[in-house]
């Protein structure tokens, strides 16, 4: 007789994972009926979206199981990417593309009387990150899976992601992002892998059976972490990795205990404490708030993840000798840096290892990525808070510090300054734990995210550490996934490229170089231009719908979308807009190249200057857009609620990419890469990855302006006086005076005094020093745009030379030079992927 498991498998592969149009149609109908619980007479668009998502999910699950089996059987080394943020974007189209299901699903939907376009908008975007750092983690997951690298991303399942931004009366208003309201079809809860996380209380020492000194942590509260797995498929391969996000829950036993003891309120309070931990993402980019809940979040997800990693390891091992050969743990910034102390605690207290052995394992397992040079962004936690929340970790950190400082003292006898600077503990009125130092001391490798950034990390930010351990420092220039940021966001361009050079660029972005052969082909250029025109037209319609502003599709689409931050200098861009406005007002018949200056980005809710910048932009827009003298030559737009989905729509529509941070402040940037990959030209400073983008695309295809990082430092040293620039530059003076006089805020003339005060008296980010250089460079941009044939040529060359900025390249470097991991290819047995060659998706629409 045939055995049941075999019968089961035949069923599974045929009906639930089949990729023929017939199988997909049957699955859609089935899922609508049995999962959504509706038939055609009651189903709405959202039900169809869910039915479709579950249809895709079944195919993911099948590959996920095969992938997990292969990793387990081969006992491969696994990359564990720890990140407090994963800004993954919508998953439906991405999953369809990576699985090779786009075409058959499209057909199955059509034959069922549905259209993919109408269902896409049913998906909530998981906004589990603030900006570049979270988005980088998402691009890395895509590349890891595509390169067939065993990997798990670990993070937090925030119940509320980054807030939704509305603009009211020109100001940012925040709305909660209740993204899980209607359920999330992409996640699989794994309550069986739940773990316990302790907080507070005190420690006790004791002597174990073998006479060893040991410490026991007696916590005040225990919280439970439940993992939710999101499958991450690679492109054009069978690998499906996992993003494992932890949700916090109260420990039931604990509640019950206190409840019975009669303290009802305390029981409820403890429950609230636990469930608050994964409640909301802190909406700050580059400025940690130093709040207790934030440290709780960090420790919570790190402890859950490390316990999970150890559980996975111990399935195949009975001691820790091979741990660093089976686990590479990457710390994405200092948010998970507490992991260094937590792994030590787990090895010492839970697994009874000895200190030196545990420390050796820890240092051979962790690596740390630094993401910022801004001093206010460096995480420090008050020792008092640390001791209250994580008493055992504070002891371990003191012990690590003791050993570390002995090493420093040995190497640099009688250099008290060095000891002070390098210590894990910052002395002062309030003692603080320096998380970047902990991450560095506990890791075998520290990396910066672009060449210039790494140099500044070595020479400035972590100079003492670099002197002590020069071999520890590496550079890994960031990248972006070409699947989401070209194929998915710009299908017509992807199709044209594929028509000319084939589809290998999707897995090897250096292939784009072959486009250079067509740069002088007039027909090719015409099609290139038409695609850009179409993308601009779509975005113009979006602006018409959302902002009620009519923009000229033939004007320069000059776009700055990114988080609002002083160092990113949105205000410098606004000063240029006002300068153009004044020129036209002074000479109403001026022949200038029409421009549409588009801004977008969220401000941290407590960041006063960033919110003022938004109000400034919207105020300037009100005046400029309503002045009949402009006659369509200048428009200003602030698009609200910048997100991954909006980015996918906006980057392809840009002619000009604004990358204008003060040199030395933007670690890398990845928005710069997305624009360039979609054929925009960059106006930028020599900062972050701009330096390398310019190197790749050629100086003649990049609009460079401004001080260099060295010049910024030198000017600061000499004593920078912004007021001198104001006094000596009449155009600049006019702009500042208008802002100060209330020209752009007639109802409240002093509205922008805080900005004026900051610019004239401090100007930390040197906007005034760079103003003239920027305005001149913008004039060059306008002149270049007049010669649209040549502009197109530059646009093509930008795309053709972007190969370096694929996150596949970045990840391949991490694998080789930091993680020492190898790919594992996944066989599906009898079942094989239907995809043969590239399927180009349709042009995305945004409601
Ligand atoms: C790429 C991206 C960023 C990072 O942009 P930068 O210009 O590098 O700051 C931020 N947010 C979203 C949604 C992104 O897609």
């Amino acid at each position: 007789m045939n055995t049941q498991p075999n019968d089961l498998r035949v069923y599974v592969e045929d009906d639930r994972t089949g990729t023929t149009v017939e199988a997909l149609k049957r699955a859609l109908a089935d899922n609508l009926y049995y999962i959504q619980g509706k038939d055609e007479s009651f189903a709405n668009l959202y039900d169809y979206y869910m039915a479709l998502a579950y249809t895709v999910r079944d195919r993911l699950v099948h590959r996920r199981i095969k992938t997990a089996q292969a990793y387990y059987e081969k006992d491969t080394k696994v990359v564990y990417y720890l990140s407090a943020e994963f800004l993954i974007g919508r998953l439906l189209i991405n999953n369809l593309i990576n699985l090779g299901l786009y075409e058959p699903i499209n057909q199955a939907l059509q034959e069922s009387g549905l259209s993919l376009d109408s269902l896409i908008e049913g998906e909530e975007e998981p906004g589990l990150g603030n900006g570049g750092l979270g988005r980088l983690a998402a691009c890395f997951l895509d590349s890891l899976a595509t390169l067939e690298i065993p990997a798990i991303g670990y993070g937090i399942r925030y119940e509320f992601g980054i807030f939704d931004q509305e603009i009211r009366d020109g100001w940012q208003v925040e709305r909660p992002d209740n993204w899980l309201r209607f359920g999330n079809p992409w996640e699989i809860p794994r309550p069986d892998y739940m773990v316990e996380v302790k907080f507070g209380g005190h420690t006790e020492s004791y002597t174990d059976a073998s006479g060893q000194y040991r410490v026991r942590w007696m916590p005040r509260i225990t919280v439970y972490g439940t993992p939710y797995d999101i499958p991450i498929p690679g492109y054009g391969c069978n690998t499906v990795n996992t993003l494992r996000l932890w949700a916090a829950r109260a420990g039931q036993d604990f509640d019950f205990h206190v409840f019975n003891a009669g303290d009802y309120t305390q029981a409820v309070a403890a429950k609230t404490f636990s469930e608050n931990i994964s409640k909301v993402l802190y909406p700050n980019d580059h400025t940690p708030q130093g709040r207790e809940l934030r440290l709780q979040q960090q420790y919570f997800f790190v402890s859950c993840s490390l316990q999970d990693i150890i559980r996975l390891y111990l399935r195949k091992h009975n001691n820790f000798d091979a741990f660093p050969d089976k686990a590479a743990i990457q710390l994405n910034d200092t948010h998970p840096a507490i992991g260094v102390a937590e792994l030590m605690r787990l090895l010492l207290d839970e697994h009874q290892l000895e200190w030196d052995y545990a420390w050796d394992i820890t240092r051979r397992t962790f690596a740390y990525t630094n993401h910022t040079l801004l001093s206010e962004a460096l995480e420090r936690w008050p020792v008092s808070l640390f001791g209250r929340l994580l008493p055992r970790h504070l002891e371990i950190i003191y012990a690590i510090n003791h050993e570390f400082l002995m090493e420093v003292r040995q190497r640099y006898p009688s250099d008290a300054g060095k000891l002070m600077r390098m210590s894990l503990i910052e002395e002062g009125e309030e003692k603080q734990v320096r998380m970047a130092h902990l991450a560095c001391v506990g890791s075998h490798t520290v990396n910066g995210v672009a060449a210039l950034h790494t140099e500044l990390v070595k020479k400035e930010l972590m100079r003492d550490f670099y002197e002590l351990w020069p071999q520890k420092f590496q550079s890994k220039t960031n990248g972006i996934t070409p699947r989401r940021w070209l194929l998915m966001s710009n299908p017509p361009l992807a199709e044209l490229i594929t028509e000319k050079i084939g589809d290998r660029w999707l897995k090897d972005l250096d292939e784009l170089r072959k486009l250079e052969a067509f740069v002088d082909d007039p027909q090719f250029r015409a099609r290139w231009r038409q695609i850009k025109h179409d993308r601009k037209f779509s975005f113009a319609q979006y602006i018409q719908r959302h902002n009620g502003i009519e923009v000229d599709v033939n004007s320069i689409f000059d776009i700055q979308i990114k988080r609002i931050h002083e160092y990113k200098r949105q205000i410098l861009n606004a000063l240029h807009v006002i300068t153009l406005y004044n020129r036209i007002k002074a000479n109403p018949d001026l022949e200038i190249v029409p421009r549409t200056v588009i801004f977008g980005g969220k401000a941290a809710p407590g960041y006063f200057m960033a919110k003022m910048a938004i109000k400034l932009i919207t105020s300037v827009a009100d005046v400029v857009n309503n002045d009949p003298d402009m006659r369509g030559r200048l428009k200003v737009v602030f698009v609200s609620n910048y997100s991954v989905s909006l980015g996918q729509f906006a980057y392809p529509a840009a002619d000009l990419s604004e990358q204008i941070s003060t040199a030395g402040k933007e670690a890398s940037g990845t928005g710069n890469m997305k624009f360039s990959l979609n054929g925009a030209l960059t106006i930028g400073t020599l900062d972050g990855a701009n330096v390398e983008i310019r190197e790749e695309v050629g100086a003649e295809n990049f609009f460079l302006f401004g001080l260099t990082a060295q010049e910024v430092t030198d000017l600061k040293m000499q004593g920078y006086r912004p007021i001198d620039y104001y006094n000596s530059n009449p155009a600049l003076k006019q702009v500042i005076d208008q802002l100060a006089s209330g020209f752009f805020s007639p109802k409240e003339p002093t509205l922008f005094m805080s900005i004026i005060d900051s610019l004239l008296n401090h100007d930390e980010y040197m906007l005034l020093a760079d103003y003239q250089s920027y305005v001149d460079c913008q004039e060059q941009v306008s002149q270049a745009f007049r010669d649209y044939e040549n502009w197109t040529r530059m646009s093509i060359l930008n795309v053709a030379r972007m190969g370096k900025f694929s996150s596949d390249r970045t990840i391949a470097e991490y694998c080789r030079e930091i993680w020492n991991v190898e790919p594992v290819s996944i066989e599906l047995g009898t079942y094989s992927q239907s995809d043969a060659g590239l399927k180009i998706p349709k042009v995305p629409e945004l409601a």
Side-chain angles (χ1 to χ4, degrees):
M1 289 301 300
N2 216 340
T3 60
Q4 239 195 325
N6 267 337
D7 285 337
L8 194 63
R9 204 172 65 213
V10 168
Y11 167 75
V12 162
E13 288 176 358
D14 189 15
D15 275 31
R16 279 201 91 156
T17 64
T19 54
T20 62
V21 172
E22 272 317 305
L24 293 169
K25 275 163 69 180
R26 206 161 53 232
L28 282 167
D30 253 30
N31 289 337
L32 183 68
Y33 199 85
Y34 289 110
I35 296 186
Q36 287 309 97
K38 292 204 181 169
D39 66 9
E40 277 142 49
S41 46
F42 286 100
N44 57 33
L45 275 185
Y46 182 73
D47 295 317
Y48 284 110
Y49 161 73
M50 290 295 270
L52 172 56
Y54 279 106
T55 301
V56 179
R57 171 179 142 148
D58 283 341
R59 276 95 194 139
L60 283 166
V61 165
H62 177 59
R63 289 166 172 79
R64 170 65 210 146
I65 288 169
K66 296 287 180 191
T67 303
Q69 275 169 359
Y71 295 167
Y72 174 72
E73 274 159 22
K74 296 184 182 163
D75 192 24
T76 57
K77 185 170 189 179
V78 181
V79 175
Y80 299 107
Y81 198 82
L82 269 56
S83 179
E85 304 186 8
F86 286 93
L87 195 51
I88 52 183
R90 285 176 171 164
L91 296 175
L92 175 61
I93 299 295
N94 183 247
N95 289 344
L96 286 175
I97 288 176
N98 281 18
L99 291 175
L101 284 178
Y102 188 86
E103 280 300 319
I105 278 284
N106 217 0
Q107 201 181 331
L109 286 170
Q110 270 171 23
E111 290 180 17
S112 312
L114 295 160
S115 88
L116 192 48
D117 288 344
S118 63
L119 302 187
I120 292 170
E121 291 293 319
E123 180 171 359
E124 292 271 349
E125 176 175 322
L128 309 185
N130 275 284
L133 174 140
R135 184 53 232 174
L136 182 77
C139 284
F140 280 5
L141 293 181
D142 185 81
S143 285
L144 281 161
T146 299
L147 295 176
E148 306 182 297
I149 302 296
I152 299 181
Y154 280 112
I156 301 173
R157 182 178 176 271
Y158 299 107
E159 218 174 299
F160 292 86
I162 188 68
F163 62 85
D164 285 328
Q165 178 195 56
E166 286 175 20
I167 301 297
R168 293 255 184 92
D169 196 23
W171 295 97
Q172 167 176 296
V173 178
E174 301 93 22
R175 298 266 161 249
D177 161 47
N178 194 0
W179 72 291
L180 290 168
R181 188 174 44 206
F182 300 119
N184 174 11
W186 303 110
E187 67 185 11
I188 302 170
R190 302 277 188 208
D192 45 332
Y193 298 141
M194 189 172 80
V195 296
E196 265 183 50
V197 180
K198 303 180 250 189
F199 287 98
H202 64 277
T203 63
E204 292 172 0
S205 59
Y206 67 100
T207 310
D208 70 13
S210 61
Q212 267 274 318
Y213 169 86
R214 293 277 166 207
V215 176
R216 202 169 13 230
W217 177 12
M218 313 297 283
R220 195 173 68 83
I221 287 180
T222 299
V223 172
Y224 289 89
T226 306
Y228 287 73
D229 288 354
I230 298 180
I232 306 290
Y235 175 80
C237 61
N238 294 316
T239 298
V240 174
N241 285 334
T242 300
L243 170 58
R244 179 160 280 183
L245 302 177
W246 298 96
R249 284 206 291 112
Q252 279 171 352
D253 293 349
F254 179 85
D255 283 349
F256 197 62
H257 176 73
V258 179
F259 193 78
N260 280 349
D263 196 340
Y264 173 75
T265 13
Q266 203 192 314
V268 174
K271 195 168 160 59
T272 310
F273 169 91
S274 311
E275 289 170 2
N276 268 343
I277 290 178
S278 54
K279 185 69 75 185
V280 59
L281 166 75
Y282 276 95
N284 305 306
D285 199 46
H286 292 300
T287 36
Q289 255 185 326
R291 302 283 290 273
E292 182 163 349
L293 178 59
R294 175 70 174 177
L295 181 58
Q296 288 165 10
Q297 290 184 336
Q298 294 180 352
Y299 177 62
F300 166 73
F301 98 88
V302 166
S303 177
C304 290
S305 308
L306 290 176
Q307 291 182 63
D308 201 51
I309 292 166
I310 289 174
R311 175 183 64 79
L312 292 169
Y313 172 80
L314 290 177
R315 293 180 308 177
K316 287 253 173 169
H317 301 264
N318 52 24
N319 65 54
F320 283 88
D321 291 353
F323 191 75
D325 304 320
K326 297 295 173 186
I329 306 181
Q330 191 67 29
L331 304 171
N332 194 25
D333 210 332
T334 54
H335 315 146
I338 184 64
V340 171
E342 172 67 356
L343 183 59
M344 283 299 284
R345 185 191 72 82
L346 290 167
L347 295 178
L348 294 170
D349 299 356
E350 310 279 331
H351 297 276
Q352 316 291 313
L353 303 187
E354 284 174 35
W355 178 278
D356 289 346
Y357 181 68
W359 185 232
D360 178 62
I361 286 171
T362 300
R363 293 179 98 173
R364 287 164 54 210
T365 301
F366 283 106
Y368 156 58
T369 304
N370 174 277
H371 280 273
T372 183
L373 300 159
L374 303 177
S375 55
E376 69 269 29
L378 291 178
E379 284 195 303
R380 296 175 177 85
W381 293 104
V383 164
S384 54
L385 166 61
F386 226 99
R388 182 152 41 79
L389 206 64
L390 302 170
R392 177 61 179 137
H393 297 78
L394 188 58
E395 290 174 3
I396 290 171
I397 287 169
Y398 273 122
I400 293 171
N401 200 32
H402 179 75
E403 283 207 2
F404 167 60
L405 291 180
M406 289 219 301
E407 188 183 337
V408 176
R409 212 177 275 117
Q410 223 162 44
R411 180 73 189 274
Y412 307 97
S414 67
D415 190 341
K418 199 156 232 21
L419 288 175
M420 286 260 283
R421 291 198 302 274
M422 297 184 80
S423 174
L424 305 191
I425 307 294
E426 185 169 290
E427 301 293 330
E429 210 154 293
E430 167 128 71
K431 280 201 202 182
Q432 314 244 17
V433 183
R434 293 162 162 162
M435 300 309 279
H437 292 203
L438 177 63
C440 178
V441 172
S443 295
H444 56 83
T445 302
V446 175
N447 76 283
V449 291
L452 172 65
H453 170 239
T454 304
E455 282 313 300
L456 295 171
V457 167
K458 295 198 293 199
K459 307 245 160 73
E460 286 169 23
L461 189 76
M462 310 197 84
R463 185 187 181 134
D464 294 308
F465 289 90
Y466 177 61
E467 251 181 59
L468 181 63
W469 297 314
Q471 71 294 342
K472 206 183 248 210
F473 288 77
Q474 292 193 23
S475 189
K476 295 283 167 281
T477 299
N478 283 165
I480 56 172
T481 166
R483 273 75 63 182
R484 185 174 290 268
W485 296 112
L486 181 47
L487 178 59
M488 218 177 125
S489 57
N490 203 343
L493 191 62
E495 186 162 22
L496 175 60
I497 291 170
T498 301
E499 185 188 311
K500 290 294 176 191
I501 66 168
D503 67 1
R504 296 228 318 267
W505 60 272
L506 278 157
K507 282 200 163 223
D508 175 7
L509 204 61
D510 289 324
E511 286 277 312
L512 290 178
R513 283 267 173 193
K514 292 182 177 164
L515 288 173
E516 289 197 30
F518 304 95
V519 72
D520 291 315
D521 172 348
Q523 266 190 326
F524 180 71
R525 279 189 192 169
R527 289 178 64 191
W528 192 273
R529 268 199 296 277
Q530 185 63 43
I531 289 166
K532 181 60 82 180
H533 183 274
D534 292 348
R535 301 295 80 229
K536 288 168 74 177
F537 182 79
S538 284
F539 198 42
Q541 288 184 310
Y542 178 89
I543 290 169
Q544 177 67 260
R545 278 202 302 283
H546 288 258
N547 296 66
I549 299 172
E550 191 178 323
V551 302
D552 173 7
V553 181
N554 294 312
S555 65
I556 302 177
F557 273 30
D558 169 346
I559 307 187
Q560 186 173 25
I561 43 174
K562 47 180 74 244
R563 285 299 287 248
I564 311 290
H565 203 294
E566 285 165 287
Y567 85 82
K568 292 177 182 279
R569 302 202 292 191
Q570 280 89 0
I571 289 176
L572 178 60
N573 190 345
L575 298 182
H576 171 246
V577 171
I578 301 172
T579 305
L580 290 182
Y581 173 79
N582 288 340
R583 280 188 195 163
I584 299 173
K585 290 299 275 184
N587 179 3
D589 294 322
L590 188 68
E591 280 226 16
I592 73 161
V593 183
R595 273 198 200 232
T596 304
V597 185
I598 300 162
F599 295 85
K602 293 175 183 175
Y607 189 172
F608 173 76
M609 271 300 178
K611 291 187 133 176
M612 286 305 300
I614 293 176
K615 179 63 176 169
L616 174 67
I617 292 161
T618 55
S619 302
V620 171
D622 282 345
V623 171
V624 170
N625 298 341
N626 293 308
D627 189 326
D629 287 352
M630 292 301 111
R631 279 184 263 136
R633 283 169 293 180
L634 184 62
K635 286 272 165 72
V636 183
V637 178
F638 190 95
V639 287
S640 65
N641 207 33
Y642 175 49
S643 60
V644 173
S645 303
L646 183 55
Q648 286 173 215
F649 205 56
Y651 293 117
D655 293 306
L656 187 65
S657 157
E658 296 274 351
Q659 307 301 334
I660 61 177
S661 53
T662 316
K665 299 294 180 188
E666 186 78 88
S668 165
T670 48
N672 46 7
M673 301 168 189
K674 299 172 204 166
F675 277 111
S676 223
L677 185 61
N678 283 278
L681 304 190
T682 305
I683 182 166
T685 49
L686 278 180
D687 200 15
N690 294 355
V691 176
E692 291 157 79
I693 291 175
R694 181 167 170 269
E695 255 168 41
E696 292 293 308
V697 305
E700 68 284 8
N701 302 308
F702 187 105
F703 296 97
L704 178 70
F705 76 96
L707 299 171
T708 62
Q710 188 60 54
E711 287 165 348
V712 166
T713 312
D714 293 347
L715 186 51
K716 281 244 164 87
M717 289 285 287
Q718 289 162 27
Y720 170 53
R721 288 169 42 91
I723 194 95
D724 294 346
Y725 293 82
Y726 166 82
N727 284 324
S728 62
N729 186 330
L732 173 61
K733 183 168 188 303
Q734 185 189 2
V735 171
I736 301 264
D737 289 346
Q738 283 168 316
L739 286 172
S741 71
F743 183 88
F744 292 101
S745 55
K747 284 193 211 138
E748 200 182 329
T750 59
L751 184 62
F752 298 121
M753 285 317 284
S754 51
I755 292 179
I756 299 305
D757 174 63
S758 160
L759 288 179
L760 292 182
N761 299 318
H762 321 284
D763 196 17
E764 162 110 37
Y765 297 100
M766 299 193 150
L767 281 68
L768 301 201
D770 274 346
Y771 168 83
Q772 194 57 49
S773 168
Y774 180 55
V775 169
D776 292 344
C777 192
Q778 288 283 21
E779 183 53 32
Q780 288 173 32
V781 169
S782 291
Q783 294 312 325
F785 199 76
R786 287 180 192 274
D787 181 359
Y788 203 49
E789 275 296 328
N790 190 52
W791 182 279
T792 306
R793 184 190 156 81
M794 294 196 284
S795 167
I796 296 167
L797 289 178
N798 262 262
V799 175
R801 298 172 179 178
M802 284 301 290
K804 174 173 176 183
F805 304 100
S806 167
S807 47
D808 297 348
R809 186 272 312 153
T810 313
I811 285 298
E813 288 180 6
Y814 275 92
C815 289
R816 228 181 18 250
E817 296 159 16
I818 300 181
W819 299 330
N820 190 28
V821 290
E822 299 283 339
V824 174
S825 70
I826 306 300
E827 305 295 329
L828 286 184
T830 54
Y831 172 78
S832 72
Q833 203 179 347
S834 73
D835 181 38
L838 173 68
K839 302 293 191 292
I840 300 284
K842 277 208 268 178
V843 179
E845 280 301 330
L846 208 58

